Amino acid sequence: MPETAEATSFDESGSCSVCAQIEVRDTQINWEERHAQMMELVAQYRDKGLYDCIVPYSGGKDSVFQLWYVVKKLGLKPLVVRFDHWFYRPLVEENNTSVFKQLGVDVLNFTPNWHVVRELMLESLKRRGDFCWHCHTGIYAHTMQIAIRYETPLLFWGESLAEYQSFYSYDEMEEVDEKRFNRAMNLGITADDMYEFLGGRVAKRDLYPFVYPPRKELMRIKCRSICLGSYIKWDTKKHVEIIKRELGWKGQEVEGIPPEYDYEKIECFFQGVRDYLKYIKRGMGRTNHLANIDIRNKRMTREQGEALVREFDGKRPPSLDLFLDYLQLTEEQFLGIAIKHEVSPWQFSPNTVEPGRRMPDMDKWNNTQVPWPNHPGVEIGGGKG
């Protein structure tokens, strides 16, 4: 793992803080005791309202496992809440229909205004080199709003952040609360900040899905927003085996990563662009991330991981063309913005980039052309540079 990795530190031997957390997970946590704690918590919320809990759901491997576990292992009646970021791949919808029918659950789907989303994507790209602010904030803030509206105070999220980053460690009982939202999800930008940044191009009420609800409202319903991965030992590959076997969930190849990881981030057709941005900024892509997980779990040697990283990381994703159309940018403008967010000592070399593989379902990805007459330009503050 490179030194540019977010929220990661290294000890004197060069071992990273995430590896240290995984060692704690495997050697110091009493998982039977943690499971018993979860069952005590569940007992407090079971049969108290229309629903026992909320399961935030994208249709990716983790949320499908969460939903399966909540229904089949915990015997709860969940409300499934989806925040549609606009970029679901066709297979995700097919998987979701099958999963929802098999598990017999109620589903709420929310899709924010595309004109607002496009403004937010461009602004967060310019300010943070990350176009997913609307997704990061909407998934968490809007779902918490739904918890209040439906008076359903227990929420089950997926893995602990300790599994991949060092915002938290496994000896903490991490909750998905406002502290976590501000620390790890909103890129340091609140909805009020974004309203000011957009200079009147978006109304304040249009940003409500991205506003974390007031603490007093969450306290009123006695909200507990927990990570399932704090109570059961997280193992993505075993979870994928379960949902494939029990629900017939199907994986799919994703841009920029080896085909054998057909379960990783299949729910967004701009995942390749997101990982390419990360490579430009930090010199690491998703293959690096996945190889690190397998090395920590003793499923891969460091040499095997390095070979995969050399083969797959840093390729130009074909989906970048569609992304540039959406935000009405040239590739030079995109690279100019991204390179401004490089993390030292990494230096990106655009002239050495090779093309990545085209995904077989790309022709089915939405390419609706929508005019943008007041495009704000690529400079922060709305300049036309």
Side-chain angles (χ1 to χ4, degrees):
M1 177 175 285
E3 61 193 299
T4 57
E6 187 176 22
T8 303
S9 58
F10 297 83
D11 64 18
E12 292 179 352
S13 68
S15 182
C16 78
S17 49
V18 180
C19 286
Q21 291 157 197
I22 297 303
E23 187 174 350
V24 170
R25 181 197 69 181
D26 292 345
T27 62
Q28 299 182 29
I29 304 297
N30 183 332
W31 290 105
E32 290 184 0
E33 187 176 285
R34 287 282 184 96
H35 185 270
Q37 292 174 12
M38 178 173 66
M39 298 310 292
E40 289 179 13
L41 180 66
V42 165
Q44 298 173 30
Y45 292 92
R46 192 189 298 274
D47 294 328
K48 296 294 193 299
L50 289 175
Y51 301 96
D52 296 325
C53 64
I54 285 175
V55 176
Y57 185 95
S58 67
K61 64 187 186 311
D62 295 320
S63 60
V64 174
F65 175 77
Q66 288 157 233
L67 185 58
W68 174 83
Y69 192 92
V70 162
V71 173
K72 294 296 187 181
K73 292 295 184 181
L74 300 182
L76 296 174
K77 178 184 179 181
L79 173 62
V80 177
V81 178
R82 302 182 69 209
F83 184 89
D84 185 346
H85 47 54
W86 282 94
F87 311 131
Y88 285 128
R89 296 173 73 179
L91 179 65
V92 173
E93 300 302 336
E94 181 184 326
N95 276 338
N96 289 347
T97 299
S98 174
V99 168
F100 296 154
K101 282 187 172 180
Q102 291 182 70
L103 293 180
V105 292
D106 291 356
V107 182
L108 274 183
N109 188 78
F110 178 81
T111 309
N113 181 328
W114 170 244
H115 293 269
V116 174
V117 165
R118 192 168 52 173
E119 290 275 3
L120 298 176
M121 289 173 65
L122 181 56
E123 194 66 24
S124 65
L125 175 66
K126 291 190 293 187
R127 290 184 179 271
R128 292 291 184 267
D130 183 338
F131 60 90
C132 300
W133 184 87
H134 78 285
C135 187
H136 301 318
T137 58
I139 287 172
Y140 290 92
H142 186 260
T143 304
M144 300 306 287
Q145 294 177 20
I146 293 299
I148 294 169
R149 292 187 186 195
Y150 278 79
E151 301 271 342
T152 303
L154 180 61
L155 295 94
F156 278 97
W157 303 83
E159 75 279 12
S160 163
L161 285 181
E163 190 72 13
Y164 307 133
Q165 295 175 311
S166 294
F167 289 107
Y168 293 87
S169 61
Y170 263 108
D171 51 8
E172 299 174 82
M173 291 306 286
E174 173 188 351
E175 294 228 1
V176 186
D177 54 13
E178 188 170 13
K179 176 182 174 182
R180 184 184 190 268
F181 179 76
N182 291 328
R183 177 183 287 182
M185 298 302 161
N186 73 357
L187 308 176
I189 300 174
T190 68
D192 284 342
D193 293 333
M194 194 58 88
Y195 174 72
E196 297 294 331
F197 294 158
L198 294 177
R201 292 196 302 279
V202 169
K204 202 159 191 173
R205 67 178 180 175
D206 290 334
L207 293 173
Y208 92 85
F210 315 100
V211 177
Y212 203 88
R215 178 178 168 78
K216 65 179 181 181
E217 288 295 306
L218 294 168
M219 291 180 67
R220 179 181 62 78
I221 64 169
K222 299 180 180 177
C223 184
R224 293 295 306 272
S225 180
I226 65 172
C227 297
L228 184 58
S230 295
Y231 296 92
I232 64 171
K233 188 174 178 179
W234 206 255
D235 187 332
T236 293
K237 285 202 170 181
K238 288 184 179 175
H239 297 171
V240 170
E241 290 173 7
I242 290 171
I243 60 176
K244 285 184 173 180
R245 181 181 67 243
E246 299 293 327
L247 298 170
W249 186 81
K250 299 174 184 174
Q252 190 167 39
E253 186 178 354
V254 174
E255 284 181 316
I257 63 176
E260 56 266 34
Y261 292 99
D262 69 346
Y263 52 81
E264 177 71 12
K265 293 292 182 185
I266 70 165
E267 63 268 39
C268 178
F269 59 64
F270 280 146
Q271 190 58 48
V273 178
R274 178 167 169 74
D275 293 334
Y276 184 50
L277 263 171
K278 184 176 180 178
Y279 183 82
I280 294 171
K281 290 161 56 181
R282 301 181 184 275
M284 62 180 293
R286 185 154 296 272
T287 300
N288 187 309
H289 166 77
L290 294 168
N292 270 291
I293 293 171
D294 278 344
I295 292 168
R296 288 183 197 118
N297 286 291
K298 300 178 175 50
R299 292 169 173 153
M300 180 182 290
T301 65
R302 181 184 178 89
E303 290 71 28
Q304 288 171 323
E306 288 175 337
L308 285 178
V309 168
R310 285 194 296 273
E311 183 177 355
F312 288 94
D313 266 0
K315 300 286 195 300
R316 181 195 183 278
S319 61
L320 183 61
D321 293 328
L322 179 59
F323 179 84
L324 296 175
D325 281 347
Y326 273 12
L327 294 193
Q328 299 183 10
L329 297 174
T330 66
E331 189 157 351
E332 289 72 23
Q333 289 173 323
F334 170 82
L335 289 173
I337 294 170
I339 289 172
K340 287 180 182 175
H341 295 277
E342 272 182 351
V343 178
S344 179
W346 166 251
Q347 288 187 314
F348 176 67
S349 301
N351 295 332
T352 63
V353 173
E354 299 174 355
R357 259 174 51 79
R358 181 182 173 84
M359 296 296 100
D361 64 334
M362 280 189 71
D363 291 339
K364 298 177 182 176
W365 299 358
N366 180 271
N367 64 353
T368 304
Q369 301 293 311
V370 179
W372 196 348
N374 298 313
H375 190 283
V378 299
E379 298 298 323
I380 289 175
K384 296 291 184 184

